[in-house]
Amino acid sequence: MRGPVLDAVAAYDLVAPGYRELSERRRGYLDAVDAEIIRRVPQGAASLIDVGAGDGRRALAIAERAGLSRVVLVEPSTGMRELIPAGSEVWDERIESLSNSGRKFDVVLCLWNVLGHVPGRVLRVSALKNLARVCSAGGLIFLDVINRYNVVECGIEVVARRLLSSGDGDVPVRWKTSAGEVETVGHVFSAKEMTTLLPEAGLVKVEQIVLNYETGRREVCTVAGNLLYVLKSAAR
């Protein structure tokens, strides 16, 4: 049974009990993203912040494998925070309104299209500026987004409709849960959109990596996967 279209945080509250199962469905992709991050953790890095951390397990595993001793998990969903392992430092905040604690981190994560759950371009720019603000001098930001024109995942017909459409990239997002279908709205990005969005937020693209959303395989063609960005602040 389909319910109302929910705010993303409210949607994740309902999805939380089945979040582990949802993650397992994309295990190949998620593990590939994590491996790309671990290979690029700056030498001497000691701290990590994950903005939109979900159940926190990915960030904690990345930190352990990369030898990062200080970890902060930022997660606005009550349901998701309840899944985070005890003893973790957790901030109950949204990425677009992240407060200024003055703390800086060597590794900044914003993974699995968290940016796509921020409504509207203005707030998405604010969210990206917040990632830049919490990144230390010499630190790196890792951000992956759903590719609007991923032919391999979506199929040529869907991509063709999107290319011909005047839509802004907002799409319905639906998850099936034991309590029924949960629906929210998400934003899917194009590589061209990111080339304007990132500089507007004061971010410099160090690297763009394309990963198959099913297998996690590295792809050469932009339309063959999702987009993982390695970024740094333009102010550094």
Side-chain angles (χ1 to χ4, degrees):
M1 179 178 178
R2 184 180 299 179
V5 177
L6 301 173
D7 166 80
V9 174
Y12 272 101
D13 285 341
L14 295 178
V15 167
Y19 183 73
R20 185 68 63 85
E21 180 183 350
L22 288 173
S23 299
E24 285 302 319
R25 295 177 193 170
R26 294 295 183 182
R27 180 54 51 199
Y29 171 76
L30 299 180
D31 286 350
V33 170
D34 296 353
E36 297 286 354
I37 292 169
I38 291 165
R39 283 196 287 270
R40 291 165 176 78
V41 168
Q43 186 173 8
S47 59
L48 177 151
I49 187 170
D50 188 1
V51 186
D55 64 6
R57 295 182 183 275
R58 286 183 73 191
L60 293 170
I62 289 170
E64 182 177 6
R65 290 171 64 187
L68 306 174
S69 57
R70 299 190 300 277
V71 179
V72 169
L73 307 173
V74 181
E75 178 51 57
S77 162
T78 301
M80 297 304 296
R81 288 198 307 274
E82 291 173 350
L83 302 177
I84 293 175
S88 304
E89 183 175 355
V90 184
W91 298 355
D92 175 10
E93 296 194 69
R94 292 177 179 250
I95 180 175
E96 65 267 32
S97 55
L98 188 64
S99 59
N100 189 356
S101 68
R103 293 173 64 178
K104 305 286 186 181
F105 299 85
D106 303 317
V107 176
V108 179
L109 306 181
C110 183
L111 303 178
W112 209 6
N113 209 47
V114 163
L115 186 65
H117 290 298
V118 177
R121 183 182 178 89
V122 172
L123 288 181
R124 285 193 282 272
V125 171
S126 295
L128 290 170
K129 286 181 176 178
N130 288 337
L131 297 182
R133 174 169 49 79
V134 300
C135 189
S136 66
L140 290 175
I141 300 161
F142 299 90
L143 165 78
D144 73 317
V145 296
I146 300 293
N147 184 356
R148 188 186 311 170
Y149 302 128
N150 182 351
V151 174
V152 173
E153 178 68 20
C154 301
I156 188 66
E157 291 184 2
V158 170
V159 169
R161 285 198 301 270
R162 289 177 175 177
L163 284 166
L164 295 172
S165 169
S166 59
D168 61 0
D170 289 351
V171 298
V173 178
R174 300 185 182 96
W175 295 290
K176 291 183 179 179
T177 72
S178 58
E181 191 171 83
V182 176
E183 183 174 353
T184 184
V185 175
H187 186 80
V188 290
F189 298 82
S190 69
K192 181 178 180 181
E193 178 183 6
M194 295 301 291
T195 62
T196 60
L197 196 62
L198 296 173
E200 191 174 338
L203 291 168
V204 174
K205 180 177 72 174
V206 177
E207 194 174 358
Q208 177 185 283
I209 302 162
V210 182
L211 296 172
N212 184 287
Y213 198 28
E214 183 68 28
T215 66
R217 183 181 62 243
R218 268 301 277 265
E219 302 285 0
V220 175
C221 185
T222 302
V223 297
N226 283 343
L227 308 172
L228 170 63
Y229 290 93
V230 184
L231 308 166
K232 63 181 181 180
S233 171
R236 304 280 194 278

